[in-house]
Amino acid sequence: MNILLIGTGGREHALAWKLAQSAECDRLFIAQGNAGTALSGENVALDFKDFSAVKNFVIQNKISLVVVGPEEPLVIGLVDFFLSDEQLSKVAIVGPAKQGAALEGSKDFAKAFMQKHNIPTAAYQTFTKETLQDGIKFLGTLKAPYVLKADGLAAGKGVVIPETLEAAIAELTDMLSNERFGAASRKVVIEEFLPGIECSVFVLTDGVSYKILPEAKDYKRIGEKDTGLNTGGMGAVSPVPFADVAFMKKVEDRIIRPTVDGLNKEKIHYRGFIFIGLMSVNGEPYVIEYNVRMGDPETEVVVPRIKSDLVKVLHAAATQKLNTQSLEIDPRFAVTVMMVSGGYPGDYAKGKEIQIKKTSESLVFHAGTKNENGKLLTNGGRVLSITSFGETIEEAVGKSYEQIGSISFEGQYFRRDIGQDLM
Ligand code: AMP
Ligand code: GLY
């Protein structure tokens, strides 16, 4: 079958790399991809926001399966468009409809969903400009630190955790009165701070049944020992040692099954990935957030561990036949280390030439890269994601650092402590 994958990052290179290995895959198109996805398929200059252009492309190229990488196409209703179009309604598409995408697109919706379906999460209340004074009073009832979340999509920057009540009040006022995050902070969720250790669980559902994919831990801060600014993610490890059988059973019973059943009960069309950000508080799992897509760079460790044919699995999810599939997972550790442009997550230069002097068994997934006149150039903050396998985290991460040793571009930076907290 012909497949269209939407997205441009390291997540999409890992997905493209895996989809292209399937005997079921004839032509693979990536909109718009990067220099890495071009090694696994054909990059196309298609804008997902232009739904009628997507429709023409899907029909002209006889696409049978569409895989949506990022959340934005889902939040703006790409799946709804397919479902309501006569010619497209037969095309299998992986991702939730708009209503399901609100699990990521609106923190308030996600919290209300969890409350309704008894899914463990931090206690919370939601406020608007009109109820700012109530919000300030609510802050007074909580203990420091305070967790404030802009309701809408804010490019990963919408969560702030002030340490003092004064700072929290100032922050809340700025978010609501000054729309600090634009329309995204017209509503603000204030919630109880959960102390613990984080991990991400990935689920693929067809709306009725589900498969649990390998879990992962990512490293969000730019600096070693988790210091400095938040980034999209500087590295990831899978499996996560503390997510043992007992913990994962709690996650499945208290979170995964109630989530899928809740979507089903509410008749929300959801055939795609659910990314559950968890906090383990003394071994008890709580949901920090839902995302309606795979994580990046988590995909760069989760997908390589999947041994089964991903085209078959994804097609089955999109056509509600997931219960016919089984998943085989590589038991080894996979670790990815992200190489980023100097200055990221602030301003950084693009167009620096990348030299890869030697390759190894490590997987070099491209995030922000492009080809120009036969040269490989940086084209984003996150540039390359280097994934390796090992019997231990030490072994896997060591291989990634060795591969990084033969890659260079001006201003390159990476964290040297990926996985260290789990060893
Ligand atoms: P989110 O964008 O919802 O993933 O939040 C960003 C980060 O804020 C999370 O990865 C956590 O580290 C932290 N965080 C969010 N909510 C809470 C909470 N209720 N308690 C403690 N930390 C939190
Ligand atoms: N790495 C976190 C995310 O993809 O949201």
Side-chain angles (χ1 to χ4, degrees):
M1 68 180 86
N2 292 345
I3 303 171
L4 172 64
L5 169 64
I6 294 176
T8 54
R11 166 182 52 212
E12 284 73 25
H13 186 193
L15 287 167
W17 167 82
K18 181 69 181 168
L19 295 171
Q21 291 169 33
S22 167
E24 307 276 322
C25 179
D26 294 318
R27 290 177 78 182
L28 170 64
F29 299 95
I30 306 96
Q32 301 182 348
N34 57 38
T37 61
L39 305 170
S40 300
E42 303 163 53
N43 288 350
V44 289
L46 179 65
D47 176 8
F48 67 74
K49 290 193 188 106
D50 186 347
F51 288 179
S52 70
V54 173
K55 173 176 173 173
N56 290 339
F57 185 88
V58 165
I59 291 168
Q60 269 163 24
N61 293 285
K62 300 190 170 57
I63 301 291
S64 310
L65 175 66
V66 178
V67 181
V68 182
E71 64 280 11
E72 201 193 343
L74 304 168
V75 172
I76 66 175
L78 185 64
V79 171
D80 308 68
F81 175 73
F82 271 65
L83 295 175
S84 63
D85 186 283
E86 215 177 306
Q87 287 169 285
L88 296 179
S89 60
K90 298 255 156 15
V91 177
I93 179 163
V94 179
K98 207 170 178 171
Q99 212 190 349
L103 281 183
E104 175 164 359
S106 166
K107 305 261 185 210
D108 181 46
F109 174 82
K111 295 295 285 191
F113 178 89
M114 287 184 261
Q115 205 167 48
K116 192 158 157 194
H117 300 288
N118 286 315
I119 295 165
T121 188
Y124 82 106
Q125 283 191 36
T126 303
F127 300 94
T128 60
K129 203 186 227 173
E130 289 69 36
T131 57
L132 173 61
Q133 291 310 320
D134 300 329
I136 292 173
K137 266 191 220 140
F138 182 62
L139 283 172
T141 69
L142 301 173
K143 280 190 277 191
Y146 304 87
V147 182
L148 276 59
K149 300 184 171 182
D151 175 59
L153 293 182
K157 297 189 175 75
V159 177
V160 284
I161 308 189
E163 292 291 336
T164 65
L165 183 59
E166 295 67 44
I169 292 171
E171 195 68 59
L172 181 68
T173 308
D174 193 28
M175 283 167 93
L176 288 175
S177 299
N178 306 333
E179 290 190 9
R180 153 118 178 265
F181 297 103
S185 67
R186 271 188 206 141
K187 279 192 207 169
V188 173
V189 168
I190 300 179
E191 66 180 39
E192 168 200 17
F193 181 84
L194 297 173
I197 154 160
E198 281 180 71
C199 109
S200 301
V201 167
F202 300 93
V203 178
L204 179 65
T205 183
D206 63 4
V208 179
S209 60
Y210 61 84
K211 301 277 176 214
I212 304 175
L213 307 177
E215 77 286 351
K217 180 178 194 293
D218 93 337
Y219 293 81
K220 287 204 174 90
R221 303 295 193 94
I222 188 72
E224 282 157 21
K225 299 206 161 65
D226 294 326
T227 54
L229 293 175
N230 256 324
T231 71
M234 295 296 292
V237 175
S238 177
V240 179
F242 73 80
D244 56 12
V245 175
F247 181 78
M248 289 305 290
K249 177 156 180 6
K250 291 179 195 171
V251 173
E252 181 168 10
D253 291 345
R254 300 176 194 173
I255 295 168
I256 297 174
R257 204 171 305 117
T259 298
V260 173
D261 288 350
L263 291 166
N264 196 11
K265 267 188 222 144
E266 297 194 27
K267 300 197 165 37
I268 294 175
H269 178 98
Y270 204 119
R271 298 179 184 179
F273 297 104
I274 314 175
F275 163 167
I276 308 171
L278 292 176
M279 188 71 81
S280 168
V281 182
N282 301 318
E284 305 301 322
Y286 289 81
V287 178
I288 291 284
E289 63 163 349
Y290 286 115
N291 293 302
V292 298
R293 51 171 174 85
M294 287 297 292
D296 191 355
E298 293 91 330
T299 305
E300 290 93 302
V301 289
V302 171
V303 161
R305 291 190 61 216
I306 300 174
K307 288 182 159 178
S308 314
D309 183 327
L310 193 62
V311 173
K312 282 189 186 162
V313 173
L314 292 183
H315 192 268
T319 52
Q320 216 160 63
K321 295 189 186 100
L322 196 53
N323 58 358
T324 65
Q325 299 292 312
S326 59
L327 266 190
E328 203 194 332
I329 304 298
D330 191 323
R332 290 177 299 167
F333 283 98
V335 177
T336 201
V337 179
M338 193 63 83
M339 298 182 75
V340 306
S341 300
Y344 173 80
D347 291 339
Y348 53 83
K350 288 187 190 179
K352 301 293 178 193
E353 188 171 356
I354 304 168
Q355 309 270 7
I356 304 181
K357 291 190 206 78
K358 213 168 73 194
T359 55
S360 62
E361 62 184 82
S362 296
L363 300 163
V364 177
F365 292 123
H366 293 219
T369 67
K370 67 173 176 186
N371 261 319
E372 219 169 73
N373 307 322
K375 282 186 179 163
L376 181 61
L377 304 178
T378 67
N379 194 37
R382 295 193 293 174
V383 177
L384 296 170
S385 182
I386 317 298
T387 299
S388 311
F389 278 105
E391 295 303 326
T392 61
I393 295 174
E394 288 94 322
E395 184 191 342
V397 78
K399 286 182 192 165
S400 285
Y401 288 132
E402 200 174 313
Q403 174 64 65
I404 286 174
S406 52
I407 301 177
S408 59
F409 57 88
E410 196 186 308
Q412 68 179 59
Y413 169 77
F414 59 90
R415 271 179 64 169
R416 292 168 195 272
D417 66 341
I418 301 302
Q420 234 168 54
D421 57 329
L422 299 176
M423 287 178 196

